[in-house]
């Protein structure tokens, strides 16, 4: 059976949220990113944007698990702005989670094995109140995610840097291929 939970990931500022908004406009269910929600709440409370990274990773993980459980999947693809695997990567980098615990989360909360990777795109990159990383940091995050997902047997498919509609069309064609091939099976 094909897992219809698709992750869209990549470094900050690569256009993930814009693409997810466009997918939602086409009628697809999309789950928002947890990290931005945490940052917004902290800023609204007068706090720094991010707590220490291990604590931030735990907060993201908790929200991502809740989001995974709350997001119903029927016979249509569902798109996640980052996934539990991303949060586990943060925790792993901080040595704040054991390999055994990580493996248990990966097994308990599977996504389609094909992950859509939004590469850094300097032409659209900008910072805002919730995104303060540099473009170089975005590149580093993207490459780290590519390796992290591969470590857990996910295949990353790079979404081309082109107009929004073309990116969405590419994603939908790619997802359809995953639905009809063995790539997306879990």
């Amino acid at each position: 059976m094909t897992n219809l939970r698709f992750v869209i990931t990549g470094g900050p500022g690569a256009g993930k949220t814009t693409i997810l908004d466009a997918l939602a406009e086409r009628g697809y269910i999309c789950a928002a990113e947890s990290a931005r929600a945490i940052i917004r709440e902290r800023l609204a409370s007068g706090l720094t944007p991010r707590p220490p990274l291990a604590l931030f990773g735990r907060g993201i993980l908790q929200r991502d698990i809740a989001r995974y459980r709350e997001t119903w999947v029927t016979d249509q693809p569902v798109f996640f702005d980052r996934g539990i695997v991303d949060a586990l990567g943060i925790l792993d980098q901080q040595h704040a989670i054991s390999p055994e615990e990580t493996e248990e989360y990966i097994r308990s909360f599977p996504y389609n094995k094909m992950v859509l990777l939004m590469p850094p795109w300097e032409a659209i990159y900008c910072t805002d109140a919730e995104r303060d990383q540099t473009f170089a940091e975005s590149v580093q995050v993207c490459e780290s995610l590519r390796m992290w997902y591969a470590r857990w047997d996910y295949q990353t498919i790079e979404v081309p840097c082109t107009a929004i509609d073309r990116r969405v069309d590419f994603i939908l064609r790619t997802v359809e291929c995953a639905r009809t091939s063995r790539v997306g099976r879990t």
Side-chain angles (χ1 to χ4, degrees), residues 65-132:
I65 289 170
R67 184 176 56 146
Y68 184 101
R69 289 178 171 151
E70 294 165 356
T71 305
W72 293 102
V73 179
T74 57
D75 61 346
Q76 293 298 313
V78 173
F79 297 95
F80 289 79
D81 190 340
R82 300 193 182 277
I84 291 168
V85 181
D86 292 60
L88 295 169
I90 293 170
L91 293 171
D92 180 73
Q93 288 175 347
Q94 297 299 304
H95 307 290
I97 192 169
S98 72
E100 297 79 19
E101 188 180 4
T102 301
E103 189 171 342
E104 180 58 32
Y105 280 120
I106 298 281
R107 190 175 34 259
S108 297
F109 301 100
Y111 295 93
N112 188 284
K113 287 296 187 179
M114 188 203 61
V115 172
L116 298 151
L117 182 70
M118 304 285 287
W121 187 5
E122 198 160 16
I124 67 167
Y125 188 82
C126 63
T127 58
D128 59 31
E130 298 161 14
R131 181 188 312 119
D132 57 4

Side-chain angles (χ1 to χ4, degrees), residues 1-44:
M1 182 169 153
T2 300
N3 185 328
L4 295 176
R5 294 175 186 271
F6 288 89
V7 172
I8 297 179
T9 193
K16 294 178 300 298
T17 303
T18 301
I19 292 302
L20 283 145
D21 290 345
L23 285 162
E25 286 175 15
R26 292 193 189 190
Y28 291 93
I29 296 171
C30 298
E33 180 184 14
S34 298
R36 284 180 84 85
I38 291 170
I39 292 168
R40 266 192 304 275
E41 291 166 10
R42 289 181 59 85
L43 289 172

